[in-house]
Amino acid sequence: MKTLWLDTIDSTNSEALRRLPDLPSCTVLAAREQTAGRGQRGNTWFSEPGKNLTFSIVLKFGPGAVSARDAHYLNCLASLSVVSLLDSFGIRSQIKWPNDIYVGKRKICGMLLENTLCTTGLAASVIGIGLNVNQTAFPRLANATSVALELGQVQPMEWDLAQTLECLLRLFEERLPLLSSPEGRQELMADYTARLFQKDVPAPYRDLLQDREFTGVIEGVEPDGRLRVRDAEGGKRFFRFKEISYLL
Ligand code: BTN
């Protein structure tokens, strides 16, 4: 993987999408500062300049290599890379479906995946990752955390962002070949499911289509990427992104 560091950019995802025709696969755009970082659901992603990792991985696929139906395995790959990195720091994290990384009930990392399609499936994917590393105050966010906050008592120091990114990218690259085979995708899904936040635990959710709260138990993720939740009556419910919210 080749990393290009940018001092200031609006958003590494926007820049990667603008430069997509010219960037080879496995290029990473990392920014010391984003002036208009983008989050899920049109939200803004705030990150103190120079403190955290904000970067986008560009992947390009050969014709038919990854079908549009399998796009959600990119969530598994990216989420597991971050979880493995945090494991290596001694921080136990979990994946809040589809791709938020939580430590306890606090969010340490968010992702924004933007794909381009062709007739045979995925043409390219821009995997944007914001991982809180050295930031210790989050005035605008009630439930955010960072590597420094989690390890503060043990290791009161600043983490080297470039080195941390290289570790994360190595973990990403190790699992990347798994995307290309059914067995590999099964392995990705098994590892991903094992780290799902609130799996097998009764918890409150809101069904956003019916606009109703319910108590459910996350059982896993379907091969098409939908979240499978068992409700109090024993019924199975299936959710796509933006159809369910966690009531934390
Ligand atoms: C979310 O949890 O809402 C997703 C946040 C994604 C933030 C990252 S930071 C790097 C990349 N560039 C962006 O503008 N967004 C993603």
Short mmCIF file of all heavy atoms in Angstrom, two decimals, residues 11-13 34 37-40 45 54-56 100 107 110-112 128-130, ligand 1:
data_model
loop_
_atom_site.label_atom_id
_atom_site.label_comp_id
_atom_site.label_asym_id
_atom_site.label_seq_id
_atom_site.Cartn_x
_atom_site.Cartn_y
_atom_site.Cartn_z
N SER A 11 -11.91 16.66 2.72
CA SER A 11 -12.24 15.31 3.18
C SER A 11 -11.40 14.33 2.36
O SER A 11 -11.34 14.47 1.13
CB SER A 11 -13.74 15.07 2.97
OG SER A 11 -14.01 13.73 2.60
N THR A 12 -10.77 13.38 3.02
CA THR A 12 -9.95 12.43 2.25
C THR A 12 -10.83 11.58 1.33
O THR A 12 -10.40 11.19 0.25
CB THR A 12 -9.12 11.51 3.18
OG1 THR A 12 -10.01 10.84 4.08
CG2 THR A 12 -8.08 12.29 3.96
N ASN A 13 -12.07 11.31 1.74
CA ASN A 13 -12.97 10.57 0.85
C ASN A 13 -13.29 11.38 -0.40
O ASN A 13 -13.24 10.87 -1.52
CB ASN A 13 -14.29 10.23 1.56
CG ASN A 13 -14.27 8.84 2.17
OD1 ASN A 13 -13.26 8.44 2.75
ND2 ASN A 13 -15.37 8.12 2.07
N GLN A 34 -8.68 17.64 8.28
CA GLN A 34 -9.80 17.70 7.34
C GLN A 34 -10.66 18.91 7.72
O GLN A 34 -11.00 19.09 8.89
CB GLN A 34 -10.67 16.45 7.45
CG GLN A 34 -10.03 15.19 6.92
CD GLN A 34 -11.04 14.04 6.82
OE1 GLN A 34 -11.15 13.40 5.80
NE2 GLN A 34 -11.76 13.80 7.89
N GLY A 37 -14.69 17.04 7.06
CA GLY A 37 -14.75 15.58 7.17
C GLY A 37 -16.20 15.12 7.13
O GLY A 37 -17.06 15.74 7.75
N ARG A 38 -16.44 14.08 6.39
CA ARG A 38 -17.82 13.61 6.22
C ARG A 38 -18.08 12.34 7.01
O ARG A 38 -17.23 11.44 7.05
CB ARG A 38 -18.12 13.38 4.73
CG ARG A 38 -18.08 14.66 3.93
CD ARG A 38 -18.63 14.46 2.53
NE ARG A 38 -17.71 13.73 1.66
CZ ARG A 38 -17.99 12.56 1.10
NH1 ARG A 38 -19.15 11.95 1.35
NH2 ARG A 38 -17.13 11.98 0.30
N GLY A 39 -19.24 12.27 7.66
CA GLY A 39 -19.63 11.07 8.40
C GLY A 39 -20.83 10.40 7.76
O GLY A 39 -21.27 10.81 6.69
N GLN A 40 -21.35 9.40 8.43
CA GLN A 40 -22.55 8.71 7.96
C GLN A 40 -23.75 9.65 7.99
O GLN A 40 -23.77 10.59 8.77
CB GLN A 40 -22.87 7.51 8.87
CG GLN A 40 -21.78 6.47 8.92
CD GLN A 40 -21.73 5.62 7.65
OE1 GLN A 40 -22.55 5.81 6.74
NE2 GLN A 40 -20.78 4.71 7.59
N TRP A 45 -17.73 14.93 10.25
CA TRP A 45 -16.81 14.20 11.13
C TRP A 45 -15.78 15.19 11.65
O TRP A 45 -14.99 15.72 10.89
CB TRP A 45 -16.13 13.06 10.36
CG TRP A 45 -15.21 12.23 11.21
CD1 TRP A 45 -13.84 12.31 11.23
CD2 TRP A 45 -15.57 11.21 12.14
NE1 TRP A 45 -13.33 11.40 12.12
CE2 TRP A 45 -14.37 10.71 12.70
CE3 TRP A 45 -16.79 10.67 12.57
CZ2 TRP A 45 -14.37 9.69 13.65
CZ3 TRP A 45 -16.78 9.66 13.52
CH2 TRP A 45 -15.58 9.18 14.04
N THR A 54 -7.19 10.20 10.01
CA THR A 54 -8.30 10.42 9.07
C THR A 54 -7.74 10.08 7.70
O THR A 54 -6.85 10.77 7.20
CB THR A 54 -8.81 11.87 9.12
OG1 THR A 54 -7.70 12.77 9.04
CG2 THR A 54 -9.59 12.17 10.39
N PHE A 55 -8.23 9.00 7.11
CA PHE A 55 -7.64 8.55 5.85
C PHE A 55 -8.65 7.74 5.04
O PHE A 55 -9.68 7.28 5.57
CB PHE A 55 -6.39 7.69 6.13
CG PHE A 55 -6.67 6.42 6.88
CD1 PHE A 55 -6.79 5.22 6.20
CD2 PHE A 55 -6.81 6.42 8.25
CE1 PHE A 55 -7.06 4.04 6.87
CE2 PHE A 55 -7.09 5.25 8.94
CZ PHE A 55 -7.21 4.06 8.26
N SER A 56 -8.32 7.57 3.77
CA SER A 56 -9.18 6.80 2.87
C SER A 56 -8.32 5.82 2.08
O SER A 56 -7.28 6.20 1.53
CB SER A 56 -9.91 7.73 1.90
OG SER A 56 -10.67 8.68 2.61
N ASP A 100 -19.15 0.86 12.86
CA ASP A 100 -18.63 1.74 13.92
C ASP A 100 -17.84 0.86 14.89
O ASP A 100 -18.26 -0.26 15.18
CB ASP A 100 -19.76 2.39 14.72
CG ASP A 100 -20.44 3.50 13.96
OD1 ASP A 100 -19.83 4.04 13.03
OD2 ASP A 100 -21.59 3.83 14.31
N LYS A 107 -17.66 5.44 21.17
CA LYS A 107 -17.20 5.24 19.80
C LYS A 107 -15.75 5.73 19.64
O LYS A 107 -15.43 6.85 20.00
CB LYS A 107 -18.13 6.01 18.86
CG LYS A 107 -17.77 5.91 17.39
CD LYS A 107 -18.96 6.32 16.54
CE LYS A 107 -18.58 6.62 15.12
NZ LYS A 107 -19.74 6.87 14.24
N GLY A 110 -15.05 5.66 13.25
CA GLY A 110 -16.18 5.62 12.32
C GLY A 110 -15.69 5.44 10.90
O GLY A 110 -14.53 5.77 10.60
N MET A 111 -16.54 4.91 10.07
CA MET A 111 -16.13 4.65 8.68
C MET A 111 -17.19 5.11 7.70
O MET A 111 -18.38 5.05 7.98
CB MET A 111 -15.93 3.15 8.45
CG MET A 111 -14.90 2.57 9.37
SD MET A 111 -14.58 0.87 8.99
CE MET A 111 -13.67 0.47 10.48
N LEU A 112 -16.72 5.55 6.55
CA LEU A 112 -17.61 5.94 5.46
C LEU A 112 -17.09 5.26 4.19
O LEU A 112 -16.02 5.62 3.69
CB LEU A 112 -17.59 7.47 5.30
CG LEU A 112 -18.48 8.04 4.21
CD1 LEU A 112 -19.95 7.79 4.51
CD2 LEU A 112 -18.24 9.55 4.06
N GLY A 128 -13.21 5.19 3.89
CA GLY A 128 -12.78 6.30 4.74
C GLY A 128 -12.84 5.91 6.20
O GLY A 128 -13.87 5.41 6.67
N ILE A 129 -11.76 6.12 6.90
CA ILE A 129 -11.70 5.71 8.31
C ILE A 129 -11.24 6.88 9.18
O ILE A 129 -10.25 7.55 8.86
CB ILE A 129 -10.73 4.50 8.48
CG1 ILE A 129 -11.21 3.33 7.62
CG2 ILE A 129 -10.62 4.09 9.95
CD1 ILE A 129 -10.40 2.05 7.74
N GLY A 130 -11.98 7.14 10.22
CA GLY A 130 -11.59 8.15 11.21
C GLY A 130 -11.38 7.44 12.53
O GLY A 130 -12.35 6.95 13.13
C1 BTN B 1 -19.18 8.07 10.79
O1 BTN B 1 -19.03 7.37 11.79
O2 BTN B 1 -20.10 8.87 10.71
C2 BTN B 1 -18.20 7.93 9.67
C3 BTN B 1 -17.00 8.80 9.85
C4 BTN B 1 -15.98 8.64 8.76
C5 BTN B 1 -14.85 9.63 8.90
C6 BTN B 1 -13.72 9.38 7.96
S1 BTN B 1 -12.33 10.41 8.31
C7 BTN B 1 -11.57 9.96 6.83
C8 BTN B 1 -12.65 9.87 5.78
N1 BTN B 1 -12.88 11.17 5.16
C9 BTN B 1 -14.09 11.65 5.45
O3 BTN B 1 -14.53 12.76 5.08
N2 BTN B 1 -14.76 10.79 6.23
C10 BTN B 1 -13.99 9.58 6.49
#
